[in-house]
Amino acid sequence: MIRAFAGTFGRLPFAAKIAGRFLGDPMLLLGGKPLVGWQTVFTLPFRRMALVSDNATAEAVMLDRAGKFPKSTVLHALLKPLIGEGVFGQPGGDTVKETRRVLARALAAIPPAHIAEVTRTLTQEYMDGWLARKGAPAPVGVDLSRLTVDVVSVCTMGRRFTAEESQRFTDLFSIYHQRAKATLLLLAHADEATRARIIHELGLEEIGAEMRALMRERFLSAPLGRDGDEAIFSRALADAGYAAPGHDERALDEIAVMLLAGHETTASTLSWLCHVLAGDSALQDAAAQAVAAAPGTQVADDKSARFAGATGEDVLSALTQEALRLYPPIGFFLRENKEEVALENRTLPKDNFIVVAPRVLHRHRAYWKKPDTFWPERWLETPELPARTAFIPFGMGARVCPGAQFANIEMAEITRLLLTRLRFGLTAGAEPLPLGNLTSRPEPDIVLTVTPRAAPASSAQRS
Ligand code: HEM
């Protein structure tokens, strides 16, 4: 099917745009085949693409010890209007290592208790807003995006957008995201001019420019590094030389990386989790009961109780892990091979695409029992992973997420508060699907009814 596009496609961005309407989510093209196989090679109009799931090849690509599997330039082209030369879109090399060090050190310097406290305070605000609707549908997905932008910006830069700005910022990103179809760039010719025309026709430049203006106004209006103690990341950027005259745009690039990588992923995971909980009230109640107990208390070891023997912390972790497994926010790691790669039955010549896909690995039939079922108990019963690459929501190796610890603290805290205080219910409307462009955020956005949860069950039910 893909090969059939080669003739009609050529270098025409307009044709690419039309095709992109139908080719948004690459997973839909794959028809489930990779969920049982280990290596699949696709012939695209101008290049080949190997999707690799076997542990040895996937690990070699992700660890990338010799710098032979840089991030694809497709990602750079797609994100440039928004993050400029920010690290997330860069293929690799020494500059990436240096910038990653700045980001990782700044994130490691934020005390976990501070992340938890900021998360708690901000989450209460959004929950108040939902409850004020008295059971009328609440924009839970959109608000989780705003909440997670607020958390990451307060924790790293000591300030946040106003309510209007954060609404606009997340609306714009939602549009950016819908339009940023990597599939188009994979199918089109890789020359600069063709790519630039595709990006232009998708209208990404206008959206990126408006988002950058919002970030510039809010986070660069005072000179970098002059904020208070809480602006750990702003100071780290200043210390690394981004405060020098003329460096503002580069500083903005990395601020954009921090805000975007640091919010969309957590928001997508939590949106899916809320949707799943809303659709399964027994699970929601059992989880609420487990997390309402004092820290470290185990759910009574009674066979009829879901999560028997687990603590509230275990349950929170199992819920978020399972959401990350079924709906990994970054579903595909798109790399290029700078050297020929030996696959099982053939070779992939150099300068093609090579993909490791959490969206495939996390549901692979050889790795997981009940692969398509949301079953948090799997994390309580069998913590042993079948292979190192079987579960990699935060990536691994050279480009592993530096915000994983931050994200886990934040997601556990938000989930705990939501479960303790609220009850979610589904609303009428289309069943969401993972968008599959830049991330797997649900499309359409999650809208739920939100009502107060009754007081927690009596302590007699606990051991
Ligand atoms: C559920 C939440 C999150 C998930 C699943 C996630 C996942 C990922 C993954 C998979 C990558 C690497 C992509 C690749 O190898 O191509 C990445 C990169 C990154 N993440 Fe996260 N992330 C999350 C939350 C966060 C948070 C909260 C922050 C910051 C506060 C953050 C900051 C970053 C940064 C700065 C990068 C870029 C690193 C680079 O370019 O080398 N992430 N994330």
Side-chain angles (χ1 to χ4, degrees), residues 139-147 167 170-171 271 441 445-446:
V140 171
V142 170
D143 280 357
L144 284 170
S145 291
R146 297 177 55 209
L147 166 61
Q167 185 72 56
T170 50
D171 284 353
S271 281
R441 69 186 281 165
D445 282 319
I446 303 293

Side-chain angles (χ1 to χ4, degrees), residues 42-65:
F42 300 89
T43 304
L44 307 180
F46 299 101
R47 287 211 257 177
R48 267 174 255 179
M49 182 172 80
L51 172 63
V52 293
S53 298
D54 64 291
N55 187 63
T57 321
E59 197 172 75
V61 171
M62 296 307 291
L63 296 180
D64 195 19
R65 292 212 167 94

Side-chain angles (χ1 to χ4, degrees), residues 24-278:
D25 182 354
M27 195 61 181
L28 297 176
L29 285 176
L30 307 180
K33 264 208 293 186
L35 298 176
V36 289
W38 295 111
Q39 295 179 346
T40 320
V41 180
F42 300 89
T43 304
L44 307 180
F46 299 101
R47 287 211 257 177
R48 267 174 255 179
M49 182 172 80
L51 172 63
V52 293
S53 298
D54 64 291
N55 187 63
T57 321
E59 197 172 75
V61 171
M62 296 307 291
L63 296 180
D64 195 19
R65 292 212 167 94
K68 299 285 164 42
F69 300 107
K71 275 196 182 183
S72 170
T73 53
V74 161
L75 201 65
H76 179 249
L78 268 187
L79 289 173
K80 192 169 178 213
L82 191 46
I83 65 169
E85 299 306 321
V87 66
F88 194 91
Q90 296 300 314
D94 289 344
T95 320
V96 163
K97 283 189 192 145
E98 277 163 36
T99 315
R100 278 182 57 90
R101 264 197 290 274
V102 175
L103 268 79
R105 276 203 205 121
L107 287 169
I110 307 171
H114 181 61
I115 300 172
E117 192 194 315
V118 169
T119 304
R120 270 196 297 279
T121 310
L122 294 172
T123 306
Q124 297 288 1
E125 259 182 41
Y126 285 89
M127 291 196 302
D128 289 345
W130 298 339
L131 286 171
R133 291 172 173 259
K134 308 262 179 242
V140 171
V142 170
D143 280 357
L144 284 170
S145 291
R146 297 177 55 209
L147 166 61
T148 50
V149 172
D150 284 350
V151 171
V152 72
S153 56
V154 170
C155 287
T156 60
M157 289 178 287
R159 6 180 163 157
R160 60 167 161 153
F161 286 128
T162 63
E164 294 71 32
E165 287 167 347
S166 85
Q167 185 72 56
R168 183 73 188 143
F169 186 81
T170 50
D171 284 353
L172 285 166
F173 189 50
S174 170
I175 304 169
Y176 195 98
H177 198 285
Q178 280 165 0
R179 294 188 187 179
K181 294 181 191 301
T183 324
L184 290 179
L185 297 181
L186 292 176
L187 294 177
H189 198 277
D191 68 280
E192 290 268 318
T194 303
R195 284 195 173 164
R197 278 162 62 205
I198 293 176
I199 299 297
H200 180 69
E201 285 198 19
L202 293 177
L204 296 180
E205 288 138 337
E206 293 94 310
I207 307 171
E210 191 179 341
M211 290 179 76
R212 284 177 74 89
L214 283 167
M215 290 185 279
R216 191 179 296 112
E217 169 70 20
R218 182 58 44 207
F219 302 110
L220 280 177
S221 52
L224 262 188
R226 301 267 174 84
D227 280 313
D229 283 353
E230 291 185 342
I232 284 177
F233 182 51
S234 311
R235 263 190 290 117
L237 286 175
D239 292 347
Y242 290 88
H247 274 235
D248 270 15
E249 287 304 301
R250 275 294 292 124
L252 192 58
D253 294 348
E254 301 308 340
I255 290 173
V257 167
M258 187 62 102
L259 286 192
L260 295 165
H263 99 274
E264 170 68 13
T265 42
T266 32
S268 169
T269 313
L270 291 166
S271 281
W272 280 113
L273 180 57
C274 291
H275 176 71
V276 169
L277 291 169

